Amino acid sequence: MKAFRLDELDAERAAHDGAYLQFLRAQHMSVGLYALERGSTDPQRPHRQDEVYFVVSGRAALTVGDETTSVARGSVVFVPAGVPHRFHHITEDLRVMVVFAPPEG
């Protein structure tokens, strides 16, 4: 079994000066923590893998393809592989758990 604490993961991510920390990789999926600060810009591009976002904290808008929704703590969003997407209008520091399947390359 592997168990993780979000506060420790966020501290590790911050210590490496990055917005993303992959903390679990298995044969069929990978999991990471993505952080964007209030007012920042999301630089990501479409991925080759399907993704599931689980918002741990914060508030923002998320556009997937040509659909936009508001997200906040507890939101879960599926993003199909290859579809353009980004967080924007980030009004509270955002922490998002990201599951990639298959694992992020």
Side-chain angles (χ1 to χ4, degrees), residues 14-49:
H16 289 93
D17 294 324
Y20 184 73
L21 171 71
Q22 179 178 279
F23 62 89
L24 178 66
R25 186 174 183 87
Q27 183 177 359
H28 298 290
M29 66 173 213
S30 61
V31 185
L33 181 64
Y34 190 41
L36 293 166
E37 304 306 315
R38 183 176 144 253
S40 66
T41 302
D42 182 3
Q44 68 178 314
R45 300 195 176 185
H47 307 283
R48 295 185 328 238
Q49 305 84 0

Side-chain angles (χ1 to χ4, degrees), residues 50-95:
D50 288 335
E51 295 177 78
V52 173
Y53 287 125
F54 172 70
V55 178
V56 175
S57 63
R59 291 186 176 280
L62 173 62
T63 298
V64 178
D66 53 1
E67 294 182 86
T68 299
T69 189
S70 295
V71 295
R73 182 175 162 233
S75 297
V76 178
V77 180
F78 170 69
V79 179
V83 176
H85 58 284
R86 69 181 183 93
F87 292 97
H88 52 95
H89 296 95
I90 303 167
T91 58
E92 294 177 13
D93 292 351
L94 194 62
R95 299 297 182 268

